[in-house]
Amino acid sequence: MKIVVTGGAGFIGGNFVHHMVNKYPDYEIINLDLLTYAGNLETLKPVEDKPNYKFIKGDIVDRPFIFDLFEKEKPDIIVNFAAETHVDRAVVDPESFVRTNVTGTTTLLDACKEYGIKRYHQVSTDEVYGDLPLDRPDLFFTEETPLHTSSPYSAAKAGADLFVLAYHRTFKLPVTISRCSNNYGPYQFPEKLIPLMLSRALANESLPVYGNGENVRDWLHVADHCEAIDLILHKGRDGEIYNVGGHNERTNLEVVKTILKALDRPESLIKYVTDRPGHDRRYAIDPAKLETELGWKPKYNFDTGIQQTIRWYLDNEDWWKRILSGEYSSYFESMYGERLQ
Ligand code: NAD
Ligand code: TYD
């Protein structure tokens, strides 16, 4: 089995490459990544010398390059993680999200159509469903919840999902889609909530909480997401969507306070800053389909997973400190400079 994993130098794609390379020595895993600001080959160090792993640098939007790759490699499966993923960046530059998330997806789908494929899997997000009210804890996203996006990021991801489903219906392409809630764990780029707060708390810097900190996210350990995708690739039904989430809802303030407590830092580091425009209130996944149909069960709950994750960031300071000293420092200044004054 030959699997092309796009975006495998990013957070979840990198964890997925580790998972697949170690679990399936007989599979060939090709990591195709453009190495944007979010891509980091240091994440792949633990697997880079394995005989069943190969890295190729390239852009999923580059049609001649992608068609050439399919011609040469003849992959059996594509797992598409490659995307622009940060909601705050999407507010500043929506177009780059259309380019990678939509055009990148249709380019891959066209190559699958041309050369044939056993399975195309699209890694999507619960953000395509929009948000839920804070005062209705009884409501959850199911696979039937209508798409109702709020940000240019989620709009582009929803657009991609619709193309994936259209290629299934129109061209009979064997596809699956997973829509997962917020991930946390090793190798997450420090612009996202948990590694951002961890790295800043360790440096005794202020922690920028948007609005009143009451927005709710449904956190899933990245290892449980990887296991879900592995299951869907092997047992999922063509044309189906699977929601992935572990019922671990927390307000942002609860997450930040958990991190402060674990690091023995004072809550006075919290700084409430101007809210994100269009900020989604609550995400909450109903994973019943994945559990009953494919037997998926998460290994981590948030309380154990966050402690393991904090330990990882403490033990791997080199990995994230190198990122903080690069291009990211000017991004942080432009995104937060005035808000933190
Ligand atoms: P990330 O930003 O950490 O990584 C994205 C990767 O894609 C990077 O390695 C980047 O170099 C690569 N990439 C970007 N543009 C590319 C292009 N044009 N061609 C090839 N490679 C390109 O993202 P992540 O958090 O690991 O998310 C991975 C996927 O999972 C995304 O599709 C995202 O929408 C989805 N997702 C993320 C979460 C989450 O909490 N992070 C939750 C649900 C779904
Ligand atoms: P994020 O990690 O960007 O993921 P997403 O927006 O895709 O859910 O943000 C998670 C939550 O944390 C979200 O409600 C926004 C909030 N947040 C802050 O309060 N401060 C920050 O500096 C960041 C990056 C996020």
Side-chain angles (χ1 to χ4, degrees):
M1 190 75 82
K2 193 185 270 197
I3 305 184
V4 170
V5 177
T6 70
F11 164 45
I12 310 174
N15 277 279
F16 184 72
V17 167
H18 287 199
H19 171 91
M20 296 300 282
V21 166
N22 291 321
K23 185 168 170 188
Y24 300 105
D26 297 342
Y27 289 10
E28 245 180 283
I29 308 296
I30 299 177
N31 174 6
L32 165 64
D33 197 294
L34 183 58
L35 299 181
T36 67
Y37 80 92
N40 185 352
L41 284 182
E42 288 192 28
T43 299
L44 284 316
K45 276 237 157 71
V47 295
E48 68 187 5
D49 294 326
K50 302 259 181 179
N52 61 336
Y53 170 75
K54 176 160 91 179
F55 173 72
I56 298 176
K57 182 168 190 251
D59 186 347
I60 59 165
V61 179
D62 182 343
R63 188 166 277 263
F65 164 79
I66 290 294
F67 276 57
D68 221 45
L69 180 96
F70 271 68
E71 172 118 41
K72 274 198 208 106
E73 298 287 352
K74 302 186 174 40
D76 300 297
I77 293 178
I78 303 294
V79 186
N80 182 26
F81 289 92
E84 288 296 333
T85 62
H86 193 38
V87 174
D88 293 326
R89 291 185 191 249
V91 174
V92 181
D93 178 20
E95 184 62 30
S96 63
F97 285 67
V98 177
R99 182 187 181 279
T100 297
N101 302 5
V102 182
T103 311
T105 298
T106 56
T107 306
L108 291 170
L109 291 169
D110 280 339
C112 291
K113 178 159 101 49
E114 178 77 19
Y115 293 98
I117 198 84
K118 291 201 176 92
R119 173 67 66 73
Y120 173 92
H121 181 75
Q122 178 75 358
V123 181
S124 187
T125 163
D126 62 354
E127 301 191 28
V128 298
Y129 299 121
D131 64 352
L132 296 164
L134 292 174
D135 59 358
R136 289 293 308 273
D138 55 315
L139 296 181
F140 296 91
F141 298 135
T142 73
E143 289 80 2
E144 274 72 49
T145 301
L147 302 187
H148 192 262
T149 57
S150 319
S151 74
Y153 163 65
S154 52
K157 291 296 290 185
D161 283 13
L162 292 175
F163 273 104
V164 173
L165 295 172
Y167 273 59
H168 174 67
R169 169 93 183 238
T170 308
F171 306 115
K172 311 271 177 293
L173 213 64
V175 305
T176 41
I177 296 177
S178 51
R179 292 182 178 151
C180 190
S181 60
N182 284 64
N183 282 211
Y184 67 98
Y187 301 111
Q188 187 167 29
F189 193 86
E191 67 187 349
K192 302 282 168 63
L193 180 74
I194 289 178
L196 178 82
M197 298 300 167
L198 266 169
S199 57
R200 290 186 65 83
L202 282 169
N204 292 306
E205 289 167 338
S206 57
L207 309 185
V209 169
Y210 297 165
N212 60 10
E214 292 304 324
N215 301 60
V216 171
R217 296 294 181 264
D218 185 359
W219 293 97
L220 187 75
H221 194 282
V222 65
D224 286 321
H225 187 189
C226 292
E227 188 63 43
I229 296 172
D230 178 355
L231 263 178
I232 295 167
L233 291 182
H234 289 94
K235 296 193 190 154
R237 286 180 295 133
D238 283 348
E240 292 294 317
I241 296 165
Y242 295 92
N243 280 355
V244 190
H247 287 299
N248 280 287
E249 291 178 52
R250 296 286 186 282
T251 66
N252 293 337
L253 214 46
E254 284 170 337
V255 171
V256 172
K257 286 184 179 173
T258 302
I259 293 169
L260 285 171
K261 188 157 180 244
L263 299 178
D264 197 21
R265 296 294 195 274
E267 289 187 6
S268 57
L269 285 179
I270 293 172
K271 173 124 202 249
Y272 295 95
V273 301
T274 323
D275 210 351
R276 168 188 283 173
H279 196 174
D280 278 336
R281 293 160 297 175
R282 169 176 170 250
Y283 303 140
I285 280 275
D286 175 357
K289 179 175 174 183
L290 186 68
E291 289 175 342
T292 52
E293 204 180 298
L294 304 187
W296 177 82
K297 244 196 171 357
K299 292 197 179 76
Y300 291 90
N301 63 38
F302 188 74
D303 297 329
T304 53
I306 191 68
Q307 298 307 331
Q308 179 261 18
T309 300
I310 292 170
R311 187 74 257 155
W312 188 88
Y313 282 88
L314 289 171
D315 292 343
N316 291 275
E317 280 201 357
D318 280 1
W319 182 87
W320 53 267
K321 281 201 167 155
R322 263 200 281 282
I323 295 172
L324 293 185
S325 61
E327 178 268 351
Y328 178 72
S329 57
S330 53
Y331 161 83
F332 189 85
E333 189 45 43
S334 68
M335 191 60 77
Y336 292 92
E338 279 177 19
R339 284 156 117 181
L340 280 176
Q341 267 158 33

